[in-house]
Amino acid sequence: MRMTMVKALNSGLRIAMENDPKVLLMGEDVGRLGGVFRVTEGLQKDFGEGRVMDSPLAESAIVGTAVGLAFRGFRPVVEIQFDGFVYPAYDQIVSQVAKLHFRSRGRVRMPMVIRIPFGGGIGAVEHHSESPEGQFALTAGLKVVSCADPHDAHWMIQQAIASDDPVVFMEPKRRYWETGEVDTETAPAPLWESRVVRPGRDATVIAYGAMVKTCLDSARAAEDDGLDLEVIDLRTLSPLDLGPVVESVRRTGHAIVVHEAARTLGLGAEIAARITEECFYSLESPVQRVTGYDMPYPPSRAEHEFLPGLDRILDAVDRARAY
Amino acid sequence: MNQVNPAAHEVPFVQLLTPDGQRVTDAEHSFDGDRAAIEGLYRDLVMTRRVDVEAFALQRHGELGLWPPALGQEAAQVGSARALKAHDYAFPTYRDHGVAWARGVDPSLLLGVYRGTDLGGWDPADHQLALPNIIIGAQTLHATGYAMGLTLEGLVGTGDSERDSAVIAYFGDGATSEGDVSEALDWAAVHQAPVVFFCENNHYAISLPAANQSHVPIVQRAAGFGLPGVRVDGNDVLACHAVTQRALQRARDGQGPTLIEAVTYRMGAHTTSDDPSRYREAAEVAEWKAKDPIDRVRLLLEAEGTTPEFFADLSAEADALGVHLRQACQNMPEPDLAELFDHVFVESTVENQQQQAEYVAWRASIEGSVSA
Ligand SMILES: Cc1ncc(C[n+]2csc(CCOP(=O)(O)OP(=O)(O)O)c2C)c(N)n1
Ligand SMILES: [Mg+2]
């Protein structure tokens, strides 16, 4: 079935709610409006105001009350309206959600999903295009995943809800309205695995979220130059599943990591370190990083210069191969 | 679940001008200006609305990515901001176009954020006006801190009207749910900071009615924090001016903060991306249309003998503003990423400089290959 990522998430949420009465949705405007992106459209009508709650405008309260609901055995799925609005909840996420299982020596579980539409490329005003995933990925006790296409969105949201650990679920809002084939029948790939989405021989390009499509487009463009790029969708950012990456880089000898978040101390740094540790003798060039720059997100009319695009990705591939 | 909040309608508010243009009195507040002063406020209202109408049209023509209309809230914004002295300071939200107007900002500078060419617009020091805040509620703490600074510098309660200063923080009904706003009210009360909290209760936070945010009328929160609260007809520019002026003077005199709840209505969508028909009734909008903040002042002025020339001149002035906004919008310089690196830090870092150089070189290579 072809559908947008928004629809795919919506149908995934619906199935999770049908399967488990303990699953609750909370967030700003998620009820009657169906969320500003309409991801929760129709769910309040069908499941009632008790299970799909329009929360007051208070992110700390959204996550903090979700902690209490989880104590009571519920499985809250909370929506943070935009990436840049998660910070009022940062304390609850980092100091409470991430630590309660550990502090209680495993007695307390926080089976919570924190959905965050993230990333730029949609011409939005400030605070609406950020990439905070690294800040959660480096917080011990949180798991972080990101879907890149409607099929994964449909399944990964259900798997994240089924997880007994807290999951920060990063949704690439730039891809919300793109359609893709969703196979609702066959069993999904496991949640904690990365995946080769395009096999290739000449270099390994590693991405997640919205950048997966950008990298696939780059690979297609590179074909014209006779280059065969392998593209890997990380899918899970914490834990990282670098098995397929290591296997790929050992074959290609070149690795290019792509993300929108700033470069310094970003996820690309960890991935580059791990590639260096595990593929040292296969590497023919230093791991390249194509990322956002180390600055607050710029005004949107400069975002195409700020975000990794085809040119910068192919440039990095050339640099690696010319090394 | 929580839709009905009957008490919200029962708390009286200060009103000095009725929707049909009649002046009424209030025991504690009065508008002291003459007809010329009211004409001045009327001009502010009309010009603010023109900014809104033009910006909305610019968004529809693709010149702006987004626009949050102030439509319907002009009196709350203009009335309160005109009560400020030049040396007072204001912390606005993204919707407070009338505040920017009243602080003397060229309204075309409001457009850059929404066109995507800028993240600010003006130097706050030029207008004693902070940059509009999108992070809901955060600016209430900034205002409180600024006010604490005024006290530390001895600029409060000296009796010297050229010296004594105050601060105003603007925020919405939705914002009252954020912890920052409660913390600001608390701090301001504890420190007796010279700050006025001006809540524009426009009845909605995107799709959510105000009853979703507060189980009591917002004004009643003041008591719990230990500061006076005043409710005012937010569509009555005279009352908004009077109430704010009084609160600001208390603050300047060293008598501490005040919470003002201006009861108004968001006549437009939340932003140009929003479709309010999904969550509110047309009848409700019509009911508020009858309480328009501009119509009532016009009725008053016409009754008081303001000349037709005044209205004609103002209309021409508004048209000229429209032309100015359209031209300025289209002529706004495109943002240059290379230059933006210069503004990340006061003292630039090695990484910052390296990335700037890398970006500049990369762009030169692209431009080189395009022209080659
Ligand atoms: C911290 C934060 N959370 C969420 C948002 C998204 N958002 C933008 S405006 C808005 C509603 C604000 O309502 P209110 O305070 O009543 O102001 P109004 O828009 O009505 O002027 C929301 C939820 C935001 N900008 N900042
Ligand atoms: Mg509001």
Side-chain angles (χ1 to χ4, degrees), chain B residues 19-72:
Chain B
D20 51 6
Q22 303 298 316
R23 285 187 82 160
V24 288
T25 54
D26 178 83
E28 289 169 52
H29 301 86
S30 62
F31 179 79
D32 299 325
D34 56 9
R35 197 185 76 195
I38 299 174
E39 286 173 351
L41 291 172
Y42 182 75
R43 172 175 173 269
D44 291 336
L45 296 173
V46 168
M47 297 298 266
T48 298
R49 184 161 292 182
R50 180 54 74 98
V51 172
D52 218 63
V53 167
E54 288 298 337
F56 187 86
L58 284 166
Q59 195 280 336
R60 287 294 184 252
H61 284 102
E63 298 291 343
L64 302 180
L66 185 84
W67 181 253
L71 195 70

Side-chain angles (χ1 to χ4, degrees), chain B residues 227-310:
Chain B
L227 60 156
V230 190
R231 205 169 214 236
V232 61
D233 178 351
N235 285 10
D236 173 353
V237 72
L238 303 185
C240 286
H241 187 277
V243 161
T244 311
Q245 191 167 56
R246 188 151 189 258
L248 285 168
Q249 197 51 48
R250 277 190 83 245
R252 294 186 200 108
D253 290 344
Q255 292 170 40
T258 304
L259 170 65
I260 296 172
E261 179 189 359
V263 181
T264 178
Y265 193 79
R266 198 194 75 207
M267 291 301 292
H270 169 66
T271 67
T272 44
S273 300
D274 174 43
D275 172 12
S277 71
R278 295 176 69 106
Y279 54 80
R280 70 183 186 187
E281 303 298 327
E284 183 185 282
V285 183
E287 190 187 308
W288 279 90
K289 178 97 185 68
K291 301 182 202 166
D292 184 77
I294 301 188
D295 290 349
R296 66 178 80 182
V297 187
R298 185 169 181 121
L299 290 173
L300 172 70
L301 288 176
E302 282 170 350
E304 304 232 319
T306 293
T307 62
E309 290 74 50
F310 169 84

